[in-house]
Amino acid sequence: MKGIRQAQKAGHKVVLCSGRNYGMLSPLLPYGFDGVVSCAGGCIEYGGKMIYDCPMTPAQQAKALDVFQRNGVYRTIGSRYRTYTDEGFKEFLAENAGSKANSELLRWRVQIESELDIRPMAEYDGEPIYGLTFMSRGRERLREPIEALQDEFNFCIQDTDACGIVNGELINRSYHKGLAVERLCEYLNIPLEDAVAFGDSMNDLELLQTAAAGVCMESGSPQLKEIADFICPPVTEDGLYRGFQMLGLLGQEE
């Protein structure tokens, strides 16, 4: 929080940008961000005002949910405020508790076991959803979903786990985090040349490519680190604050 305050005091706008929905980001909102990009760019809020909102159409929702379920792929879906996951997903994560190669699997394990309001899929009542994350035992199960959905969606697939687990995100081709940066900069009349982005997973690829300076966390995806302009320490070692320092975003430090 100190880094955010100092950067804002120095005249910078600090925006939270995530693939998670607004509800799952609620623990971070008290940090005082100027804006929030949620659902991988499907929702953009700034100063409490919604400036972009693009959920899936009902037909897209039905098609996506069906093809993943039919192929035995675990689904987690997010509306603007709620998150639903397939029954059995928690047990699946527990079964693979020894796997440490997949950072996203570890992140989901922490989120499922935390107090975040992640509900069983049986409670989903058809409200508009923005994105779908998936976890599969091997790539073969993803063959039909990719064939069926690739015209309308991008498949952002993370690094394959050592145990053969493949996970990723289904993102509407109408948006991604990089486009969110462009839309927000245009809204604020800020040139892209002044944009700086921090990320750690492959759904941050377009984000880092779009910003003038792209920073990957040391704990992030190896592929993302290859395209990043800079590497900063992991979050557990005050990585964001130290990254802000490295790029001179903190002004006169207190």
Side-chain angles (χ1 to χ4, degrees):
M1 186 179 294
K2 179 181 177 182
I4 294 171
R5 292 288 182 267
Q6 286 184 222
Q8 290 170 327
K9 188 175 180 180
H12 302 293
K13 307 297 184 184
V14 185
V15 176
L16 176 62
C17 185
S18 175
R20 311 305 182 205
N21 62 10
Y22 204 82
M24 290 188 73
L25 295 175
S26 57
L28 301 177
L29 300 183
Y31 285 27
F33 295 96
D34 294 293
V36 178
V37 174
S38 58
C39 305
C43 287
I44 305 175
E45 297 183 49
Y46 189 85
K49 179 181 178 181
M50 181 72 71
I51 64 174
Y52 184 76
D53 185 20
C54 185
M56 291 186 192
T57 66
Q60 287 175 327
Q61 287 184 203
K63 186 176 182 180
L65 289 173
D66 176 68
V67 72
F68 280 107
Q69 183 181 43
R70 193 165 64 245
N71 284 274
V73 178
Y74 288 107
R75 310 159 299 170
T76 300
I77 59 174
S79 66
R80 187 180 298 176
Y81 298 106
R82 295 189 178 92
T83 302
Y84 305 88
T85 194
D86 278 318
E87 292 77 0
F89 185 40
K90 183 176 181 179
E91 290 73 16
F92 170 79
L93 292 176
E95 289 172 8
N96 293 278
S99 174
K100 298 180 180 179
N102 191 314
S103 62
E104 193 69 7
L105 186 148
L106 294 172
R107 190 185 330 217
W108 271 112
R109 190 181 308 148
V110 170
Q111 290 176 160
I112 292 288
E113 293 173 354
S114 72
E115 295 181 357
L116 293 176
D117 187 19
I118 301 177
R119 307 181 180 196
M121 192 68 76
E123 294 184 14
Y124 174 60
D125 62 2
E127 62 194 288
I129 63 174
Y130 292 79
L132 181 152
T133 60
F134 54 84
M135 197 162 290
S136 170
R137 299 179 188 273
R139 288 182 176 265
E140 178 58 27
R141 293 172 185 256
L142 296 174
R143 182 183 57 79
E144 186 186 1
I146 291 173
E147 290 178 356
L149 301 171
Q150 62 185 350
D151 288 344
E152 296 178 276
F153 296 91
N154 285 309
F155 278 72
C156 178
I157 297 178
Q158 305 292 340
D159 306 308
T160 303
D161 187 272
C163 297
I165 298 168
V166 182
N167 66 275
E169 297 182 43
L170 185 72
I171 302 176
N172 198 313
R173 288 189 180 273
S174 297
Y175 56 80
H176 53 63
K177 291 182 181 180
L179 283 173
V181 171
E182 293 180 6
R183 287 171 172 137
L184 191 53
C185 283
E186 182 179 359
Y187 176 77
L188 296 172
N189 197 29
I190 294 174
L192 275 174
E193 290 76 13
D194 290 341
V196 177
F198 289 76
D200 66 353
S201 111
M202 286 307 291
N203 71 2
D204 295 316
L205 176 64
E206 292 88 357
L207 175 66
L208 268 60
Q209 290 175 328
T210 301
V215 187
C216 184
M217 315 304 291
E218 178 60 41
S219 55
S221 165
Q223 290 176 268
L224 193 69
K225 285 193 277 191
E226 289 181 4
I227 66 96
D229 299 303
F230 305 97
I231 307 294
C232 73
V235 174
T236 54
E237 298 177 16
D238 294 326
L240 286 174
Y241 186 86
R242 291 166 66 182
F244 280 20
Q245 283 181 316
M246 176 179 68
L247 295 178
L249 300 176
L250 299 180
Q252 187 66 36
E253 294 190 49
E254 301 170 357

